Amino acid sequence: MSLWAEASTNQLSLQVGASQPFEFIWINSGQFVIGAPDSDKLAEAEEKPQRLVQIEQGFYLGRTTVTVGQFRQFVLETGYKTDAETDQRPRYQGGHGYNATRHRFEGYYPQYTWRNPGWPMTDSFPVGNVSWNDAVAFCKWLCTKTTMKARLPTEAEWEYSCRAGTTNTFFTGDAPASLRGYANVPDLSLRAELGEPADASTFPFDDGYPFTAPVGSFKPNPWGLYDMIGNVFQWCVDEIPGPPPKRILRGGCYNQNIELCRCAARGFAAPWGRYSYTGFRVLLAPKLVIPGKK
């Protein structure tokens, strides 16, 4: 298979109300090999076989995942209520969070929403406890603030951007330890908070954050994108046909395992699913100009 990919240094900043600016990185079109090789013993069957994928059009991708502050601006302007705040099904009211008294994660419970996952946050933290439905609603709102199309990335666009021209298990290499300094992942600090011993699912270092970290706290990937791996999972637009249909999650998070933090790893959940580790990153697609049309 031939392989080429590149990114330019073009950047875009979008100011929306009083929220933090939305920062985007331009990603050029290109092609790459998606999925996991047969040699990857941590891979699931749906990640194979590898195949060559063409990214036909360039796009802007959020430098970071959407923050609490940015999501707060969306809510202030629209009055939007998330699935965690509106779901009336007896077993699905509220969201997922951390019970500091019991030292365990739990949910769904009404006290847990995007505003409160069970630990202190500032507006610079990644928003969590948002469903795919919530993420799509946010993108529709952001479309009103720009001449471009705001949407979730496809999982091919996501993996292309995450790998940033690399072909390893992680964009830093094949060893889990290579992610040290680049990602907030399930590590020794998380196990210490939970009172659990480290095991094979734990990264062999302490990243300093048992839960989420402010976006951009770690070094970016080669294309200048922060937190492509770890912190919170990122919703993609793709659907896995049902019944019931599900949506793709990529990137891993602060509290799962090494397997889900690989570039090729594929998670999934119902469109209404929400956890303290589900967030999203926005893609801006320039509108194509068709000659002869206005």
Side-chain angles (χ1 to χ4, degrees), residues 2-258:
S2 60
L3 174 66
W4 63 270
E6 62 179 352
S8 77
T9 58
N10 292 343
Q11 302 177 20
L12 180 150
S13 181
L14 179 63
Q15 183 68 52
V16 179
S19 71
Q20 302 147 319
F22 289 79
E23 302 288 346
F24 295 89
I25 299 289
W26 176 255
I27 306 297
N28 278 335
S29 58
Q31 61 185 17
F32 79 112
V33 176
I34 195 172
D38 289 336
S39 59
D40 187 348
K41 303 306 180 184
L42 299 178
E44 299 290 340
E46 63 266 21
E47 299 167 19
K48 301 176 181 181
Q50 288 186 299
R51 66 186 191 280
L52 192 66
V53 171
Q54 180 75 35
I55 304 298
E56 299 287 351
Q57 300 292 337
F59 53 86
Y60 286 101
L61 191 63
R63 186 193 296 270
T64 71
T65 56
V66 171
T67 66
V68 170
Q70 291 164 342
F71 199 81
R72 189 187 311 280
Q73 185 68 31
F74 160 58
V75 169
L76 286 172
E77 287 193 20
T78 64
Y80 183 83
K81 298 291 186 183
T82 63
D83 279 332
E85 296 166 297
T86 58
D87 199 331
Q88 295 302 305
R89 292 175 296 170
R91 294 177 58 191
Y92 298 100
Q93 294 178 22
H96 170 269
Y98 182 66
N99 185 320
T101 301
R102 302 178 66 188
H103 294 278
R104 58 170 288 180
F105 292 99
E106 59 187 13
Y108 296 134
Y109 289 107
Q111 65 265 35
Y112 301 124
T113 68
W114 68 271
R115 302 174 190 271
N116 173 37
W119 58 86
M121 295 190 304
T122 68
D123 279 356
S124 296
F125 277 65
V127 70
N129 263 317
V130 287
S131 68
W132 184 88
N133 297 327
D134 300 330
V136 169
F138 181 96
C139 289
K140 289 180 179 178
W141 166 76
L142 199 59
C143 280
T144 68
K145 308 296 182 180
T146 173
T147 58
M148 289 183 277
K149 171 69 174 178
R151 61 173 173 83
L152 298 177
T154 66
E155 64 170 329
E157 290 167 336
W158 186 93
E159 187 171 329
Y160 175 67
S161 301
C162 179
R163 290 188 177 281
T166 68
T167 59
N168 304 101
T169 304
F170 313 98
F171 62 75
T172 51
D174 288 321
S178 68
L179 268 183
R180 183 169 191 162
Y182 287 88
N184 177 22
V185 290
D187 67 328
L188 301 180
S189 64
L190 173 67
R191 298 301 170 208
E193 176 66 33
L194 297 174
E196 300 173 350
D199 57 19
S201 71
T202 305
F203 282 83
F205 53 79
D206 185 337
D207 61 33
Y209 295 91
F211 308 119
T212 54
V215 300
S217 294
F218 298 85
K219 290 183 283 189
N221 78 354
W223 287 355
L225 299 165
Y226 292 86
D227 305 314
M228 287 300 291
I229 290 178
N231 227 10
V232 291
F233 271 106
Q234 299 161 54
W235 288 108
C236 293
V237 71
D238 310 69
E239 178 180 283
I240 299 177
K246 296 181 178 179
R247 297 290 177 169
I248 294 290
L249 287 159
R250 287 297 205 119
C253 65
Y254 72 89
N255 80 335
Q256 292 290 305
N257 53 49
I258 290 174

